[in-house]
Amino acid sequence: MTASLDLPPTPASADPIVVPGLPSGLGITPRPVPAWIRDPNLIDSIASGLMDIDDELLGEGR
């Protein structure tokens, strides 16, 4: 993984980039919970950020 400090500078005219997961990590948007999870306690843990779900389980893998 490349550290953000190793990336080349972005021109001032470039569109801003939002890193995936940043809005939910900051609490701006709800954290995604896979539809196959039915346990309310587990859903609450994921939504509050106490448990992280791998992107591959969310269908967002490579």
Side-chain angles (χ1 to χ4, degrees):
M1 182 173 177
T2 303
S4 61
L5 297 176
D6 293 337
L7 297 174
T10 305
S13 60
D15 291 333
I17 297 173
V18 177
V19 178
L22 180 62
S24 63
L26 295 174
I28 297 170
T29 60
R31 295 176 189 270
V33 178
W36 51 267
I37 295 179
R38 300 283 185 217
D39 181 0
N41 292 326
L42 183 54
I43 292 171
D44 289 342
S45 292
I46 294 168
S48 63
L50 299 176
M51 182 173 282
D52 193 24
I53 299 293
D54 193 330
D55 288 343
E56 290 179 8
L57 296 175
L58 294 171
E60 300 172 7
R62 295 177 193 180

